């Protein structure tokens, strides 16, 4: 390339020259021309200034965008922290409220009150053995089973409560509730029957009542029934006779039984026969001490024949007018009926 370039050529080359895109020869030719030509030098200076200004503007825009991005990141982090903090606070408040203010529903068996009657008033004394929990949110509903349409009002009183952890809000686990028994048919706590028609319901009765089973099945299933009963402190095994009706179940004691144990197993017979729906016979055996075996066996019919006599004796002794149900199996229709049966059996 000739070193003597015209001004027009130099002006055309200046943008590339400034951006360092021209060859070495072109760079030398343009530089030589700029040394000699003041007009082109002025154009060159102006172009360099414009480029620097443009770069500055671009840098400012870049810096501005970086600043926005940085602020957005900070805002995002802040929003995340605030959200996490809010959720954590909500969770803490939920746990605190659930634990110390609301609590879990009271347990009808563990929190079962002591029940007594005096001068027509039923006293329910709650003494929570677990001092970590208290009682709160008591509710007593008087429900008319006839919905006001009966000739007499016989209310079913239903009591409920919750058990939050003990705190300054609910510090005590003790409470006495008084229920006047005029026109009251039954009183229950958290669904568990406590009293009905002058009859106290024992908590153990509910445990036995809950062991109902539809049929004589495997030994473990039948063992579940025995688990709620009073049994002699003697090792035993069991056997089930289910080849033909009447289905039977026998407890085989490995050691001899005394008079109290034999009486206890006789009391257990009507209980077992009533709990297992298709069971027709129940018996027990024990060694006689002479290498032989004593067997005792009870059928549903035997018990049903015996119950009227037991009821009569109980009514004379306690001034009641209870009557035996038609079938032994009918006693599992209600806890009230079952409590009557256990009372008559003196269980």
């Amino acid at each position: 390339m000739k070193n003597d370039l015209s001004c027009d050529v130099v002006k055309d080359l200046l943008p590339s020259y400034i951006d360092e895109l021209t060859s070495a020869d072109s760079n030398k030719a343009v530089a030589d021309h700029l040394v000699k030509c003041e007009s082109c030098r002025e154009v060159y200076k102006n172009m360099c200034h414009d480029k620097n200004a443009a770069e500055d503007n671009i840098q400012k825009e870049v810096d501005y965008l970086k600043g926005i991005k940085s602020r957005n990141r900070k805002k995002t982090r802040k929003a995340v922290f605030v959200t996490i903090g809010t959720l954590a606070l909500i969770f803490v408040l939920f746990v605190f409220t659930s634990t110390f203010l609301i609590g879990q529903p009271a347990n009808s068996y563990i929190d079962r009150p002591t029940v007594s009657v005096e001068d027509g008033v039923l006293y329910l004394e709650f003494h929570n053995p677990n001092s970590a929990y208290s009682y709160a949110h008591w509710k007593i509903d008087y429900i008319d089973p006839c919905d006001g349409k009966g000739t007499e009002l016989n209310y079913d009183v239903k009591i409920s409560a919750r058990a939050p952890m003990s705190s300054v809000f609910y510090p005590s686990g003790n409470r006495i509730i008084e229920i006047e028994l005029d026109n009251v048919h039954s009183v229950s706590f958290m669904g568990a029957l406590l009293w009905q028609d002058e009859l106290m319901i024992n908590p153990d009765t509910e445990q036995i009542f809950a062991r109902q089973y539809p049929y004589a099945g495997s030994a473990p299933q039948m063992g579940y029934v025995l688990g709620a009963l009073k049994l002699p402190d003697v090792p035993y095994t069991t056997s089930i006779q289910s080849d033909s009706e009447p289905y039977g179940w026998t407890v085989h004691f490995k050691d001899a039984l005394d008079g109290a144990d034999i009486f206890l197993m006789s009391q257990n017979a009507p209980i077992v026969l009533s709990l297992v729906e298709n069971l027709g016979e129940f018996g027990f055996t024990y060694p006689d001490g002479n290498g032989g075996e004593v067997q005792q066996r009870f059928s549903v019919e035997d018990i049903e024949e015996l119950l009227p006599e037991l009821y009569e004796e109980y009514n004379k002794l306690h001034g009641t007018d209870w009557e035996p149900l038609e079938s032994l199996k009918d006693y599992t229709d209600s806890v009230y009926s079952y409590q009557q049966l256990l009372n008559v059996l003196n269980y």
Side-chain angles (χ1 to χ4, degrees):
M1 178 180 289
K2 294 181 179 180
N3 291 336
D4 189 11
L5 301 176
S6 66
C7 290
D8 290 337
V9 173
V10 170
K11 290 175 182 178
D12 288 340
L13 291 173
L14 280 178
S16 298
Y17 176 77
I18 293 171
D19 291 335
E20 299 180 355
L21 299 176
T22 51
S23 64
D25 292 340
S26 296
N27 289 341
K28 185 176 184 310
V30 171
D32 290 344
H33 182 86
L34 292 176
V35 172
K36 299 175 183 179
C37 180
E38 183 176 353
S39 174
C40 287
R41 280 201 307 274
E42 191 65 24
V43 173
Y44 172 71
K45 290 178 181 179
N46 291 334
M47 292 180 69
C48 287
H49 179 270
D50 292 342
K51 179 186 178 184
N52 292 334
E55 289 179 350
D56 289 342
N57 289 335
I58 292 173
Q59 186 61 45
K60 288 179 181 178
E61 291 181 5
V62 170
D63 293 341
Y64 175 73
L65 293 174
K66 287 182 177 178
I68 292 177
K69 187 175 181 180
S70 177
R71 287 194 294 272
N72 287 341
R73 278 200 300 266
K74 291 179 180 179
K75 288 181 180 179
T76 301
R77 285 197 296 267
K78 183 177 180 181
V80 170
F81 291 147
V82 169
T83 301
I84 293 174
T86 302
L87 292 176
L89 179 60
I90 291 173
F91 177 75
V92 170
L93 289 175
F94 171 78
V95 172
F96 177 84
T97 302
S98 300
T99 303
F100 294 99
L101 299 182
I102 298 177
Q104 299 296 319
N107 186 299
S108 61
Y109 186 74
I110 297 176
D111 302 319
R112 192 183 185 97
T114 300
V115 183
S116 61
V117 176
E118 185 177 345
D119 298 329
V121 178
L122 185 71
Y123 293 90
L124 309 177
E125 298 185 33
F126 292 86
H127 302 286
N128 194 334
N130 188 346
S131 60
Y133 291 89
S134 184
Y135 293 116
H137 310 296
W138 291 92
K139 187 177 180 182
I140 303 176
D141 294 320
Y142 285 74
I143 299 174
D144 177 11
C146 297
D147 196 22
K149 299 177 182 178
T151 57
E152 295 184 8
L153 292 179
N154 291 298
Y155 292 106
D156 291 321
V157 181
K158 299 184 183 297
I159 304 170
S160 62
R162 300 187 73 87
M165 291 193 70
S166 298
S167 66
V168 295
F169 303 103
Y170 302 108
S172 176
N174 301 326
R175 186 182 178 98
I176 298 178
I177 293 178
E178 301 178 11
I179 304 292
E180 293 188 4
L181 295 177
D182 289 342
N183 298 323
V184 170
H185 170 251
S186 68
V187 179
S188 60
F189 172 65
M190 298 302 293
L193 187 64
L194 304 178
W195 178 93
Q196 180 177 325
D197 294 336
E198 309 299 330
L199 181 62
M200 302 287 189
I201 307 300
N202 191 300
D204 291 335
T205 300
E206 285 197 345
Q207 295 297 302
I208 297 173
F209 184 78
R211 300 299 174 100
Q212 298 177 48
Y213 210 77
Y215 52 85
S218 66
Q221 291 169 336
M222 302 303 289
Y224 172 76
V225 176
L226 281 182
L229 305 183
K230 304 171 187 176
L231 296 174
D233 187 18
V234 177
Y236 66 88
T237 59
T238 64
S239 62
I240 299 171
Q241 300 80 49
S242 57
D243 295 337
S244 61
E245 294 186 354
Y247 300 134
W249 186 27
T250 306
V251 178
H252 305 278
F253 290 100
K254 297 182 179 180
D255 299 326
L257 301 183
D258 58 23
D261 291 337
I262 295 171
F263 177 73
L264 180 59
M265 289 305 297
S266 299
Q267 286 180 306
N268 280 325
I271 297 174
V272 172
L273 288 170
S274 65
L275 290 176
V276 184
E277 185 174 344
N278 74 339
L279 192 65
E281 294 183 347
F282 174 77
F284 59 94
T285 66
Y286 58 92
D288 64 2
N290 298 314
E293 184 180 68
V294 178
Q295 300 184 19
Q296 292 204 25
R297 201 159 191 83
F298 304 86
S299 68
V300 170
E301 290 76 14
D302 294 336
I303 302 300
E304 291 175 346
E305 289 179 5
L306 180 62
L307 281 179
E309 180 181 341
L310 295 178
Y311 265 80
E312 184 178 355
E313 293 177 0
Y314 185 89
N315 287 334
K316 287 181 180 179
L317 184 61
H318 297 278
T320 54
D321 57 355
W322 297 346
E323 294 184 1
L325 300 183
E326 183 176 349
S327 168
L328 181 61
K329 306 296 184 179
D330 291 341
Y331 284 94
T332 57
D333 289 344
S334 71
V335 177
Y336 173 78
S337 297
Y338 215 81
Q339 184 66 67
Q340 276 196 5
L341 175 64
L342 295 184
N343 283 14
V344 168
L345 294 173
N346 193 28
Y347 194 74

